[in-house]
Every structure is written in structure tokens, then in C-alpha cells.
Amino acid sequence: MSTAPVAVITGAGRRLGYEVSLALVERGYRVFALHRTHTDEIDFLIGQGVTALQVDLADPDAVQARIDDIVRDTTSVSLLVNNASTFETDAQDPRQRPAQAARLFQINSTAPMQLMHGLGPALETAARACGRPSLIVNITDIFTERPNPQYGAYCASKAALANLTLSYAALLAPDVRVNAIMPGPIGFLPRHTDSQKRQVLSETLLAREGGFHSVVMQLLALVDNDFITGAQIPVDGGRRLAQGMARHGQGSPD
């Protein structure tokens, strides 16, 4: 029977979730990779011994079914990374906004809450077996502190996850630590124009993309340092500070 520590990662089929999965495989973890869409990256992870589980986080029953699958397979989970999210502007039609907000909250905050609660006993079991706390890392956003009004529902859903991080840090202590990483501009999407990229980087003190590795390194640091819980750690190159200075006339977005 394998004695490797177990990690569960959502949104593992692409971008940050994929890079986190690879890093944990390299560290000797047995990884459960939750994904919505099957990708070439998922095929590669499967080739590395990862267990891939398809799930639509917008469906609470599907989330619960995957929790049940995991706890049937293992009674011990050392690490949960709630990485998956959906990001979109608020609907133009106000009549569509309640349904949009409900979906964003389900994916970005309620599903992570389901996973934290449902895997809580397995996280506690792992902690007691190895003599050090297990870990949950929630990927939130710097917009939890400075919301963008064009993305009101998204920002609110990530703020809810930030608050849940604090609640579950208290609820699951001392056996489980719960922290959040707040990314800034770590990896532009293909749809971003050159103008949009310049605008974002002009609002970032370090004036460059961080790359997915910047978040992976912070996550691994949280794995290694078992005296941190309830923390909300920005990995944003100082963007939240530059935005604040611009709003107070101390900087310029140009």
C-alpha cells in the first residue's frame, strides 16, 4: 500500500492547476487532479500516475460525488488546493445577473467549501498519522481587497472564499492549516491584447508577469512551513499597491 502523501487539486487540466500538479508529483505526492475539460495536459498527468477526475464544479451533486470517490479511494489527504475558478464580467442585462452570480459563487466559493468540509476528516487523519498539520490552500485574487466593479459577482465570490479561508482555519485547527494565495498578473490569457497587457503591467510595481512558478513556489513554501494558518498571501508583483497609489494621485496607469 502506498505511503505517499495525497494531494487534491481542482482546475488541474490547464495553467496554474497543471503546474501545481506537476510540482507535487515531483515532490512524491499521489495527486487527484479534478478537471472540467479533458486536455492534453490531463493526459500527460495521467501518464505521470495522477488520478484524473472529471467534475463540473457548478453542480453541487457532482462535487459531492467526487468527494465520495476520493474518500472511498483514500482515507488520508495531506493537501487540498482549491484552484479552479471562473472569471467573467457582469452580465449586461441586470435580469441575468442573479443566475450568473449564483453560478460564480457555486464554482468559486461553494464548491471549495464543499471540498474543505467533505475532505476535512481525511485531512485530519493525515495530520494525526504524520504528526504535522495537513494543508488547504485556496487560490483567491487581489481583487478580494480592491474589487473591480465590472467583475462584481466574480470579485464577491472570491471575497467569499477569502472569508471561508479564515473560517475554516479556525474550524479545522489544529490538525489542518488553511491559507489563501492571492495572485496578480501571473499569466496572461491568449485573448489579452498587447494594450491590455501594457495597462496591467503599468499597474504592477515589478512591471512584469510573475509566471505560474511564482504561485507554485509560494504554495510549496506553505507546504514546508507548518506554522502558518489563516494567512492571505499576495503574489502580485505589487499590483494592488500600485493600483492604490494611482487612485490617490500618486501614480499613473500609463
Side-chain angles (χ1 to χ4, degrees), residues 71 75-77 115-128 172 176:
V71 298
T75 59
S76 176
V77 174
L115 287 158
M116 288 191 287
H117 188 75
L119 296 178
L123 288 154
E124 291 170 348
T125 296
R128 291 164 185 165
L172 299 180
V176 184

Side-chain angles (χ1 to χ4, degrees), residues 4 18-19 40 45-46 50 59-60 76 80 91 94 108-109 116 138-139 146 161-162 172 206 213 225 230 233 243 247:
Y18 170 70
E19 297 295 338
D40 291 340
L45 290 174
I46 291 171
V50 167
D59 181 351
S76 176
L80 166 63
N108 295 347
S109 53
M116 288 191 287
N138 295 321
I139 306 299
R146 297 181 182 279
L161 181 57
L172 299 180
L206 297 184
H213 71 281
N225 188 341
I233 303 172
Q243 286 180 314
R247 291 180 184 184

Side-chain angles (χ1 to χ4, degrees), residues 28-71:
Y29 279 81
R30 180 189 176 199
V31 174
F32 287 87
L34 275 59
H35 63 97
R36 182 171 65 101
T37 304
H38 199 98
T39 62
D40 291 340
E41 289 87 348
I42 286 294
D43 285 334
F44 184 82
L45 290 174
I46 291 171
Q48 300 299 304
V50 167
T51 301
L53 298 174
Q54 193 281 330
V55 62
D56 182 357
L57 297 181
D59 181 351
D61 291 335
V63 176
Q64 185 59 53
R66 285 316 191 194
I67 293 170
D68 294 341
D69 289 340
I70 293 167
V71 298

Side-chain angles (χ1 to χ4, degrees), residues 5-231:
V6 173
V8 178
I9 301 133
T10 67
R14 57 195 293 270
R15 293 171 59 81
L16 178 58
Y18 170 70
E19 297 295 338
V20 168
S21 299
L22 283 181
L24 293 175
V25 168
E26 291 175 2
R27 280 215 170 190
Y29 279 81
R30 180 189 176 199
V31 174
F32 287 87
L34 275 59
H35 63 97
R36 182 171 65 101
T37 304
H38 199 98
T39 62
D40 291 340
E41 289 87 348
I42 286 294
D43 285 334
F44 184 82
L45 290 174
I46 291 171
Q48 300 299 304
V50 167
T51 301
L53 298 174
Q54 193 281 330
V55 62
D56 182 357
L57 297 181
D59 181 351
D61 291 335
V63 176
Q64 185 59 53
R66 285 316 191 194
I67 293 170
D68 294 341
D69 289 340
I70 293 167
V71 298
R72 273 195 297 267
D73 198 300
T74 180
T75 59
S76 176
V77 174
S78 297
L79 174 62
L80 166 63
V81 182
N82 282 311
N83 162 71
S85 67
T86 188
F87 175 75
E88 57 192 54
T89 57
D90 290 342
Q92 291 294 318
D93 185 347
R95 294 170 296 182
Q96 297 176 0
R97 291 189 180 184
Q100 179 191 39
R103 181 170 54 83
L104 286 168
F105 269 82
Q106 167 58 35
I107 295 169
N108 295 347
S109 53
T110 304
M113 182 176 65
Q114 285 182 269
L115 287 158
M116 288 191 287
H117 188 75
L119 296 178
L123 288 154
E124 291 170 348
T125 296
R128 291 164 185 165
C130 71
R132 68 192 301 261
S134 298
L135 174 64
I136 297 171
V137 178
N138 295 321
I139 306 299
T140 59
D141 197 300
I142 57 172
F143 286 145
T144 61
E145 293 182 343
R146 297 181 182 279
N148 184 327
Q150 294 182 336
Y151 298 86
Y154 165 80
C155 294
S157 68
K158 284 294 191 175
L161 181 57
N163 193 273
L164 284 166
T165 298
L166 303 179
S167 294
Y168 274 79
L171 179 66
L172 299 180
D175 290 324
V176 184
R177 300 182 294 120
V178 188
N179 296 288
I181 295 175
M182 306 159 59
I186 59 171
F188 289 115
L189 293 164
R191 68 172 181 263
H192 287 123
T193 66
D194 288 342
S195 175
Q196 288 172 325
K197 293 176 183 179
R198 287 193 298 270
Q199 176 70 26
V200 168
L201 295 183
S202 73
E203 298 170 347
T204 303
L205 292 181
L206 297 184
R208 59 181 172 84
E209 281 183 277
F212 298 126
H213 71 281
S214 63
V215 174
V216 173
M217 287 190 294
Q218 182 56 62
L219 189 147
L220 295 177
L222 285 170
V223 170
D224 292 336
N225 188 341
D226 63 5
F227 199 60
I228 299 176
T229 195

